[in-house]
Amino acid sequence: MNSDQLSYSNASNAAIPNALPMTITVTEPLKEFDGTKDAFISYLITTKTALDTFTSPTVSVRRRFQDFVWLHGSLSRDFAACVVPPLPDRHRMEYITGDRFGPEFVEKRRANEYISFNSLQRFLARLSRHPTLQKSEYFRIFLESREWNKESSLYRQRKSGDGVFENLGDALLNAFSKLKKPDEKFVEIKESVDKLEENLQIIDRLYQRIIKRQTDLEADYRDFGSSIAGLGQLETGITLPLEQFGETVSKFADAWKRMTCREENGYSAQIRDYLSYCHCVKNVLKLRDQKQVDFEDLSEYLQNAIMERDNLINTGKSSTGISSFLRETVDNIKGVDQEQAKRERLQKLDAKIAELKKEVENSNDVSDQFSLEVAKEYEIFQIAKNIEMKDCLLAYADSHVEFYRQGVELWEEIIPVLEDIKFES
C-alpha cells in the first residue's frame, strides 16, 4: 500500500505547475490513552519535501483526526478562493468496538484502517500538490511541528474570527440575491462539475450492484464447495479428490471476497470521496458568485444614488414617488427652506455617491481577483481529477488481474488431482 501511495503522490506533483515535489504517508495507527475517556487514535505522518520552509527534507510526526480537522478549518478560512479538499467522514476514524479476538472485529478493524489510511492520505496528497496550500504555514506546522499543541493554539488565538464572519455575512446578505449577468465561463464550469457529479453518482450506484453480485457469487461458491465436499462422503472411491475440489472452490470464494473488499474499501470509497471533492468545488463557485453579487448590488445602489441626485438637480425632487410628495408637503407645513434643504440633500448624495464609487471599485477588484483565482483552482482540480481517476482505474484493474491470477493458480493445482481419479472396471 505504501509504495502505491508514494508513486501516486509523486505523479501528482509532477503534473501540476508550481507545485514542488512532496510525498506524504499516513501509517501506524496507535490508540493512545486506551481505557480512558480521553482515548483517541493517532497516525504517523512522514513527509519528504523540497520546500525550503521545512527544517528537514524528511520529517515524521503523530497527529490525531482532530488535528486534521484543525488543518482543514484553518485552510478553508484563510484560503477562501482555494478548493480545500474534503476530510473523510469522522465515523471512518472511530475505533471499532466489539470482541477484539473475534474474526468479525479483526476484519472490520483491518478494513477501517485501510479506508482511514487512504482517505487521510488522499487529503494530505491533494494539499501537497496544491501550489498555494502546500506552502501555507498551517500545512508546515501540521507536518513538522514538535510543539503542536502550543503552535496550533497560538494560530487559533491569532486567527479566531478573521474571515469567518465576513464570509458568513456575504452568504446571509446574498442569500436572496441572484446574479444579474452570469459569467458564461463559470456557468460552464458549474455545469461541468454537475455532470461529473452526476456521472460519479451513476457509477457509484452501478458499482454497489456489482458489489452485491460479487458478494452473492462468493456465497454461492462457498455453498458449492461445501456441497462438493459433502458429495465426497458418499462417493467413497473418490472422497479425497472431491474434498480437495471443494477446498479449491472455497479458496476461490476467498479470492472473490478479497477482491470485493479491496474494491469496496478502495475504488468505491474513492468515488464517494470524489463526490465530496466536487461539492467543495461548487462551494467555491458559490462564493465567487457572491462576490459578483456584491459588485452588482453596489453598482445598482450607485446608479440609484446618481439618478436621485440628477432628479434633484433637474426637477428639484429626488424622486417622483409618493414618499417625495409627502416629504415636500411636510417640509412646506414646517416652513422649511426648500433651496437650503435641496443643497443639503445634494451634499449628502454627493458624499454617498463618492463613497459608493470607492466601494464599487473595490468590490469589482475583489470580484475580478477572486474569479481569476477560482479559474486557476478549477484547472488544478481538473489535473488532480485526471491523475486520481487514472490511479483509481489502475487500482481497479490490478485488483481484477490479481483475482484472476489467483483463480488460474487454484484451478491449475486441482486439475492434476482430478485427472488422477481412477475408475474401477
Side-chain angles (χ1 to χ4, degrees), residues 21 103 116 137 175 238 259 263 290 371:
S116 300
E137 186 68 4
I238 54 173
M259 180 179 71
E263 292 173 1
Q290 288 175 4
S371 294

Side-chain angles (χ1 to χ4, degrees), residues 278-296:
C278 289
H279 187 68
C280 294
V281 176
K282 291 165 75 172
N283 282 341
V284 172
L285 289 171
K286 287 179 183 178
L287 190 54
R288 191 218 71 85
D289 288 349
Q290 288 175 4
K291 301 299 181 185
Q292 184 177 337
V293 166
D294 285 343
F295 168 68
E296 290 178 346

Side-chain angles (χ1 to χ4, degrees), residues 197-213:
E197 194 173 37
E198 181 181 352
N199 286 335
L200 289 174
Q201 289 170 342
I202 292 172
I203 290 171
D204 185 49
R205 285 197 299 271
L206 290 173
Y207 191 70
Q208 295 311 308
R209 288 164 55 183
I210 293 173
I211 288 289
K212 184 180 183 304
R213 193 173 299 129

Side-chain angles (χ1 to χ4, degrees), residues 198-262:
E198 181 181 352
N199 286 335
L200 289 174
Q201 289 170 342
I202 292 172
I203 290 171
D204 185 49
R205 285 197 299 271
L206 290 173
Y207 191 70
Q208 295 311 308
R209 288 164 55 183
I210 293 173
I211 288 289
K212 184 180 183 304
R213 193 173 299 129
Q214 290 181 178
T215 302
D216 291 342
L217 271 172
E218 176 208 331
D220 289 342
Y221 272 113
R222 290 195 189 283
D223 292 342
F224 176 56
S226 298
S227 298
I228 293 293
L231 183 63
Q233 302 301 317
L234 302 175
E235 303 294 333
T236 55
I238 54 173
T239 297
L240 183 59
L242 288 178
E243 287 180 346
Q244 289 178 314
F245 186 86
E247 184 180 352
T248 295
V249 174
S250 179
K251 290 180 179 178
F252 188 63
D254 289 339
W256 268 111
K257 184 175 183 178
R258 284 192 296 272
M259 180 179 71
T260 301
C261 288
R262 181 178 175 184

